[in-house]
Amino acid sequence: MTTTVSPTQTARAFLTDLEQALAHAQQTGEVGAVTELFVDDCYWRDLVALSWNLTTAEGKDDLAAMLTATLPTSAPSNFQLEGEATEDDGVTTAWYTFTTPVLRGKGLMRLRDGKCWTFLTSAQELLEFPENKRSRRIKGAEHGVVPGRKNWLDRRTEQQETLGITTQPYTLIVGGGQGGIGLAARLRRLGVSTLVIDKHPRPGDEWRGRYYSLSLHDPVWYDHMPYLPFPDDWPVFTPKDKMGDWLESYVKIMELDYWSNTTCSNATFDEATQQWTVEVERDGETVILTPTQLVLATGMSGIPNIPEIPGADTFTGDLVHSSQHSGGAEYAGKKAVVLGANNSAHDICGDLYENGADVTMIQRSTTHIVKSESLMREVLGGLYSEEALDNGIDHETADLIFGSIPYGLLADFQIPAWNTIREQDKEFYDKLEAAGFMLDFGDDDSGLFLKYLRRGSGYYIDVGASELIADGKIKLKSPAHITEIRPRSVVLSDGTELEADLIVLATGYGSMNGWAAKLISQEVADKVGKCWGLGSNTTKDPGPWEGELRNMWKPTAQQNLWFHGGNLHQSRHYSRYLSLQLKAREAGMNVNVYGQAPVHHLQ
């Protein structure tokens, strides 16, 4: 009689064997018994738990090196299966929890024939410094008679008036968008003194100031902030001003220390004191801050890329980068030229057309297009949707599932969905190409997410502008670029001259280390190297392969300098790991970083 082994039994047996092998490795220094539990093409992705870094070991040799270096101090143990394992197409998937001497972790594993294929270890909480939540929440009031007491408002006002003036923050976050304030909220929960500075008059103004019709292209289930998910009647696609109001409310509700109307002039790091000296201009006055940690939370993008085009200084109309374009209302009946063919270019062209402008898009290279509804159905729906919630997958669970897929395997996971989209939306794509639009699905047909991770550009989530291009309502010149700008026209590479009252340069942004060059020094920017990209050796993402995003949410080559950004999902998820790294340092914990990547690209 044959005994059937359930997926849960398989997963539990693996964890038992793993714990025994890890204990043996910690005693002897020999990790062979651990690596024997993994298939040859294995991946172990660690988010801070073992490495105090974001790093992925690929293959048994990498795995052996990581374990040899990290096990003496990380000593993971107490592996416990969480819930029931599942099996699909020969792959057993299971959640588990574990601890180290200093933290509590959670992971997701995938097994093939009883051996491990992918293994995620993620830090969730520092044992000595848990967040004050649920049963650990503060009382908030002192009952009884307390002469001379200060109420909440007095204490809060005193903190706001002294931080940065008579007391210094441990962490200074430059940039008060969703990334900066989400990280600040996590740090506040951990008791880390943190100050956020932003150039705008109010939190959320970076959204309010964008072009009139802007809304998020990602759906609501993907976009929650830490701790405060959107209400269950929040619109699927958040309008820009509604997003701005939410962020402003978030700053107040989460009691964040936030200076508006404040710009960073320069920053220097003192190796002797291990502190930064940061000069800021606040409401017209110079203030010197001396934080220990400096976080640049300026989004995933750097300084706007503005191409040098002959004759630009002669143009008598309006010439702006897409980041400066506020809307198309004043261009009714006028001629507009938009250089670029990615998200911002499409949105701006659509807005200009809606406002009655005669608009032409100049496409220089191929662009990946996906219908919004197709993206939600085929790519996001399994993790971020009402259906996912009905299946017990909230956004935090979805974040870990997505994070458990090593970047080296992500293309393989994504390609089938994009093949389905290409087939289902063939008529849509055929119509676009017939209009002359140049399409792609990424260098290896892996679609939007890989393009985003590799280069941060080259795509558009269609919410209407593609149909306008296909129908000829938004005019198109492709392939082409602007070779000359004249007082009231542009000359294209094919010799065509187009009249123009407005030129919008939707030409993207540089790497985030451009902000390091501007605020600190070019030397420091070169020291940390390029931010973003995986080293996939695809278009705009030169090799060598790095396995993780460069410099994001983890230690950089410049001590006490961090980069935080990305979309709302990434900012939410990875702010957890960055906050734990910062808290560990603030608390004086023994932080042994493993796997810090060498710098291959400067910008």
Side-chain angles (χ1 to χ4, degrees), residues 254-311:
M254 301 306 290
E255 298 180 32
L256 305 183
D257 292 301
Y258 186 107
W259 286 2
S260 56
N261 286 320
T262 304
T263 58
C264 178
S265 302
N266 63 75
T268 56
F269 184 68
D270 189 321
E271 295 286 348
T273 64
Q274 296 291 287
Q275 285 186 324
W276 291 92
T277 298
V278 184
E279 181 179 311
V280 304
E281 300 297 322
R282 184 189 187 198
D283 293 325
E285 295 186 5
T286 300
V287 179
I288 303 298
L289 301 170
T290 55
T292 300
Q293 308 289 345
L294 178 63
V295 181
L296 300 185
T298 51
M300 61 153 285
S301 302
I303 295 169
N305 282 328
I306 300 178
E308 293 185 6
I309 303 175

Side-chain angles (χ1 to χ4, degrees), residues 134-355:
R134 301 189 66 176
S135 63
R136 294 188 297 269
R137 70 179 75 212
I138 63 172
K139 287 186 177 180
E142 296 178 87
H143 293 160
V145 178
V146 184
R149 77 165 77 201
K150 293 182 179 179
N151 69 5
W152 173 85
L153 180 60
D154 287 341
R155 295 194 303 271
R156 181 74 182 120
T157 300
E158 181 179 325
Q159 181 180 3
Q160 290 175 310
E161 290 176 347
T162 57
L163 186 63
I165 306 300
T166 59
T167 64
Q168 289 297 313
Y170 178 76
T171 299
L172 176 66
I173 300 175
V174 179
Q178 65 266 14
I181 65 176
L183 175 61
R186 290 201 188 272
L187 290 170
R188 183 182 178 279
R189 287 258 194 139
L190 291 169
V192 178
S193 174
T194 302
L195 176 64
V196 181
I197 63 171
D198 192 88
K199 65 182 179 181
H200 295 94
R202 294 162 53 199
D205 276 352
E206 70 275 11
W207 284 94
R208 298 185 187 97
R210 299 292 302 279
Y211 48 88
Y212 180 81
S213 61
L214 177 67
S215 66
L216 290 180
H217 289 190
D218 296 322
V220 61
W221 307 280
Y222 189 73
D223 291 334
H224 298 293
M225 295 287 290
Y227 309 119
L228 284 183
F230 295 117
D232 58 11
D233 67 339
W234 197 262
V236 174
F237 301 107
T238 307
K240 69 179 182 71
D241 297 287
K242 190 174 180 69
M243 188 67 194
D245 289 349
W246 180 263
L247 297 180
E248 185 170 25
S249 300
Y250 188 91
V251 168
K252 192 165 188 176
I253 292 169
M254 301 306 290
E255 298 180 32
L256 305 183
D257 292 301
Y258 186 107
W259 286 2
S260 56
N261 286 320
T262 304
T263 58
C264 178
S265 302
N266 63 75
T268 56
F269 184 68
D270 189 321
E271 295 286 348
T273 64
Q274 296 291 287
Q275 285 186 324
W276 291 92
T277 298
V278 184
E279 181 179 311
V280 304
E281 300 297 322
R282 184 189 187 198
D283 293 325
E285 295 186 5
T286 300
V287 179
I288 303 298
L289 301 170
T290 55
T292 300
Q293 308 289 345
L294 178 63
V295 181
L296 300 185
T298 51
M300 61 153 285
S301 302
I303 295 169
N305 282 328
I306 300 178
E308 293 185 6
I309 303 175
D313 58 338
T314 70
F315 189 62
T316 58
D318 296 328
L319 172 60
V320 297
H321 187 266
S322 56
S323 59
Q324 303 166 312
H325 179 70
S326 59
E330 62 184 287
Y331 297 102
K334 296 185 178 181
K335 295 184 181 295
V337 172
V338 178
L339 179 62
N342 296 330
N343 255 342
S344 294
H346 277 81
D347 280 350
I348 290 169
C349 284
D351 179 57
L352 286 164
Y353 176 81
E354 282 188 3
N355 281 281

Side-chain angles (χ1 to χ4, degrees), residues 575-597:
S575 62
R576 176 190 299 275
Y577 310 115
L578 179 47
S579 68
L580 293 175
Q581 293 174 80
L582 291 168
K583 176 61 183 180
R585 286 163 171 79
E586 186 253 8
M589 295 173 60
N590 185 22
V591 177
N592 294 312
V593 177
Y594 171 79
Q596 188 158 337

Side-chain angles (χ1 to χ4, degrees), residues 35-36 70 104 141 147 163 165 238 266 271 320 377 418 461:
T35 60
E36 277 305 303
T70 62
R104 184 176 291 109
L163 186 63
I165 306 300
T238 307
N266 63 75
E271 295 286 348
V320 297
R377 182 184 67 249
W418 293 104
I461 301 173

Side-chain angles (χ1 to χ4, degrees), residues 366-473:
T366 60
T367 306
H368 174 51
I369 305 290
V370 59
K371 286 185 172 182
S372 175
E373 57 268 27
S374 299
L375 177 68
M376 290 195 295
R377 182 184 67 249
E378 299 297 335
V379 182
L380 292 175
L383 296 180
Y384 301 96
S385 65
E386 288 301 318
E387 292 75 19
L389 288 174
D390 291 341
N391 291 328
I393 303 175
D394 62 12
H395 62 279
E396 292 190 342
T397 303
D399 291 347
L400 280 175
I401 293 173
F402 192 75
S404 74
I405 305 171
Y407 290 126
L409 286 177
L410 190 55
D412 293 338
F413 275 70
Q414 292 282 301
I415 286 171
W418 293 104
N419 286 342
T420 298
I421 288 173
R422 181 150 50 181
E423 181 178 343
Q424 291 179 345
D425 294 338
K426 183 177 185 302
E427 183 178 345
F428 166 74
Y429 291 120
D430 287 347
K431 191 175 179 182
L432 262 179
E433 288 188 313
F437 196 87
M438 300 187 299
L439 291 168
D440 71 55
F441 278 77
D443 287 13
D444 53 1
D445 293 333
S446 58
L448 186 147
F449 282 131
L450 269 300
K451 260 206 161 188
Y452 171 69
L453 293 167
R454 290 165 175 170
R455 53 183 283 192
S457 65
Y459 53 84
Y460 169 59
I461 301 173
D462 179 39
V463 292
S466 290
E467 289 291 342
L468 295 175
I469 293 170
D471 293 338
K473 294 175 180 177

